[in-house]
Amino acid sequence: MTATFTLALPSKGAIAEPTDNFLRELGLKVSKPNPRQYVGLIRSIGVDVLFQRVRDIVYKVADGTAHLGITGLDVVHENLSDDLIIIHDKLGYGHCKLVVAVPEAWVDVEGMADLAEVALDFREKKGRNIRIATGYPRLARQFLRQHHIVHFTLVKGEGAIEVAPTINHADLVIDLTDTGTTLRENHLKQIQGGTILESQACLIGNRAALLSQPGLREKVRLIGEYIDAAQDGRQYLQIVADIQGESAYHVAGKVSANPITHGLLGPTIAPIYTPKTHIDDTSWHTVTITVAQHELLDAVDHLRSIGARHVLASPIKYLFRDEQTTYQRMLSQLGL
């Protein structure tokens, strides 16, 4: 029998819908016959799906209930163990930061060194530790100690912990933020040097299962191919233009005179065949090149300067490189 493998995906929360959209755009549509069920299937690569909360995905992959998972990098680092490997840490969505935020009224606290002084003052003058509300005790503890802050007490925070200082449940918070709006609405401010982790959606795997099951590694290779090709493709556009020239070689020389329009390997030139009554003294050629997104207008300007007509620019869905980056990185982590 062919082994079945399970990918755990967010069932709800900020990255649940973006994850579904992400996979669909890759061509890995998740089939979920019953919206109330917590199982599904990615038919195109033959992988079962288990829907879980983002934090529980880490646990399920670590204990082997699921072989792979997509969740937030923040919860992975908070609960990282030897049972897990991070296969891909930048899937490109679900961006947020884990930051230290203090009350706006603390006008003299601008950076971590200031906070260290405040923590010492609390201990010496108020006889207690500074209280910090957070849902990330492991990361918070490591970060605070790195900045020589030792007199602190972590207060468990779940949900809207930004309100903790207002209700005197804590003195400050360490929490996730995207735009910072929620912090400002609760009269909190981020401090300089207080970013603990920049997070986004990531792909994780069970180390033991990946080491022992070649079939699972093959599934990762397939998923990684889609991820790498789609992410690379988004950085480029394909340009097609019509240009006059004595020969394909002549046209290629004019196009390649500007490094921007040289493309990944160089322009592709093809003759345009037209009725004899419409042929000019100089033949027309179709030029196809691949350029970086941010260089599009510069490329168009150059093509116009050498007489290009009908310049078309199209997005690239996939760009497959020679090397399978995600897969090779995983093998390296596994020591294979």
XYZ file of all heavy atoms in Angstrom, residues 5 17 31 35 75 83 92 104 108 119 122 128 130 135 143 157 163 168 175 195 207 245-246 263 270 273 276 286:
214
model
N 0.273 10.750 3.665
C 0.927 11.777 4.472
C -0.042 12.916 4.719
O -0.914 13.204 3.890
C 2.190 12.274 3.779
C 3.180 11.179 3.507
C 3.390 10.711 2.223
C 3.881 10.594 4.550
C 4.293 9.696 1.969
C 4.787 9.572 4.317
C 4.987 9.119 3.029
N -7.490 31.821 6.025
C -7.923 32.103 4.649
C -6.740 32.405 3.729
O -6.698 31.905 2.594
C -8.916 33.267 4.637
C -9.490 33.544 3.257
C -10.556 34.621 3.266
O -10.996 35.018 4.367
O -10.954 35.078 2.170
N -9.325 20.346 -1.165
C -10.718 19.901 -1.250
C -11.213 19.586 0.154
O -10.597 18.795 0.877
C -10.825 18.650 -2.132
O -10.380 18.924 -3.446
N -17.621 21.575 5.167
C -16.941 22.682 5.861
C -16.853 22.503 7.369
O -16.060 23.158 8.027
C -17.805 23.901 5.489
C -19.121 23.339 5.071
C -18.831 22.011 4.454
N 4.881 31.042 16.414
C 4.518 29.924 17.288
C 5.506 28.772 17.149
O 5.712 28.007 18.093
C 3.075 29.444 17.029
C 2.084 30.530 17.376
C 2.884 28.986 15.593
N 12.185 17.741 17.391
C 11.284 16.934 16.568
C 10.866 17.662 15.298
O 10.299 17.045 14.384
C 10.020 16.561 17.361
C 10.346 15.720 18.583
O 11.176 14.799 18.446
O 9.790 15.981 19.658
N 5.644 34.182 2.492
C 5.275 35.442 1.846
C 3.955 36.040 2.254
O 3.476 36.978 1.619
N 2.346 54.626 26.515
C 2.775 55.899 25.930
C 3.186 56.889 27.007
O 4.004 57.780 26.770
C 1.650 56.479 25.073
C 1.372 55.684 23.806
C 0.193 56.248 23.027
O -0.564 57.068 23.607
O 0.027 55.879 21.852
N 10.011 58.610 28.872
C 11.468 58.484 28.922
C 11.966 57.116 28.468
O 13.174 56.888 28.415
C 11.968 58.742 30.354
C 11.744 60.186 30.793
O 11.739 61.058 29.903
O 11.560 60.428 31.992
N 13.068 48.550 34.843
C 12.918 47.282 35.555
C 13.698 47.302 36.869
O 13.225 46.798 37.903
C 13.397 46.132 34.669
N 11.814 49.536 39.384
C 10.668 48.827 39.964
C 11.131 47.964 41.131
O 10.477 47.894 42.171
C 9.997 47.963 38.898
C 8.827 48.622 38.220
C 9.022 49.648 37.297
C 7.524 48.225 38.504
C 7.961 50.257 36.675
C 6.455 48.833 37.885
C 6.652 49.851 36.961
N 9.167 45.267 43.729
C 8.592 44.163 42.948
C 9.183 44.151 41.539
O 9.797 45.126 41.097
C 7.073 44.294 42.863
C 6.565 45.472 42.035
C 5.057 45.380 41.848
N 4.491 46.510 41.119
C 4.422 46.586 39.795
N 4.923 45.606 39.038
N 3.854 47.641 39.213
N 8.963 44.056 37.431
C 8.109 44.621 36.400
C 7.304 43.474 35.781
O 7.814 42.374 35.571
C 8.954 45.355 35.335
C 8.085 46.264 34.484
C 9.748 44.381 34.467
C 8.885 47.216 33.611
N 1.987 36.111 25.425
C 1.650 34.738 25.090
C 2.856 33.988 24.575
O 2.737 32.857 24.092
N 14.769 37.026 25.158
C 15.059 38.369 24.662
C 15.383 39.319 25.811
O 16.331 40.110 25.734
C 13.862 38.882 23.870
C 14.095 40.206 23.192
C 14.863 40.287 22.037
C 13.540 41.379 23.695
C 15.086 41.504 21.408
C 13.755 42.593 23.079
C 14.528 42.653 21.926
N -0.778 35.839 28.961
C -1.734 36.656 28.222
C -2.266 35.916 27.015
O -1.504 35.336 26.240
N -4.693 45.279 26.387
C -5.427 46.018 27.419
C -4.847 45.771 28.812
O -5.237 46.440 29.784
C -6.922 45.622 27.385
C -7.137 44.215 27.963
C -7.782 46.638 28.118
N -4.374 47.217 34.760
C -3.375 46.946 35.797
C -3.091 45.445 35.963
O -2.741 44.986 37.049
C -3.808 47.537 37.150
C -2.630 47.696 38.097
O -1.496 47.946 37.667
N -2.883 47.540 39.393
N 3.911 41.365 22.452
C 2.836 40.785 21.660
C 3.097 40.966 20.168
O 3.993 41.725 19.761
C 1.507 41.446 22.028
C 0.299 40.620 21.586
O 0.470 39.406 21.339
O -0.798 41.190 21.472
N 12.076 44.716 18.775
C 11.495 43.689 17.901
C 12.180 42.360 18.182
O 13.385 42.203 17.952
C 11.653 44.057 16.417
O 10.937 45.275 16.163
C 11.092 42.954 15.527
N 10.819 15.798 11.853
C 12.176 15.388 11.504
C 12.287 13.864 11.323
O 12.845 13.377 10.330
C 13.153 15.853 12.593
C 14.612 15.522 12.291
C 15.515 15.934 13.441
N 15.480 17.376 13.664
C 16.247 18.247 13.020
N 17.104 17.826 12.098
N 16.152 19.539 13.283
N 14.635 44.871 -37.888
C 16.073 44.657 -37.930
C 16.473 43.864 -39.151
O 15.674 43.130 -39.730
N 17.703 44.026 -39.560
C 18.188 43.333 -40.746
C 18.200 41.816 -40.559
O 18.043 41.059 -41.511
C 19.600 43.825 -41.085
C 19.661 45.310 -41.410
C 21.096 45.793 -41.557
O 22.019 44.947 -41.393
O 21.283 46.985 -41.821
N 17.643 39.987 -20.242
C 16.834 38.872 -19.767
C 17.641 37.912 -18.921
O 18.794 38.159 -18.567
N 12.395 35.842 -32.929
C 11.721 35.025 -33.944
C 11.241 35.927 -35.074
O 10.712 37.021 -34.820
C 10.542 34.275 -33.337
N 6.338 36.553 -40.007
C 6.035 36.293 -41.413
C 4.764 37.037 -41.793
O 3.708 36.847 -41.198
C 5.875 34.794 -41.641
C 7.157 34.035 -41.415
C 7.418 33.428 -40.185
C 8.130 33.963 -42.403
C 8.610 32.747 -39.964
C 9.322 33.289 -42.201
C 9.544 32.687 -40.971
O 10.730 32.023 -40.756
N 3.726 39.389 -48.550
C 4.802 40.097 -49.243
C 4.491 41.563 -49.469
O 5.379 42.410 -49.460
C 5.089 39.420 -50.585
C 5.730 38.053 -50.444
C 6.077 37.479 -51.807
C 6.767 36.128 -51.651
N 7.115 35.546 -52.978
N 9.886 39.297 -33.604
C 9.285 39.306 -32.268
C 10.366 38.972 -31.247
O 11.090 37.987 -31.393
C 8.144 38.285 -32.146
O 7.077 38.692 -33.001
C 7.630 38.206 -30.714
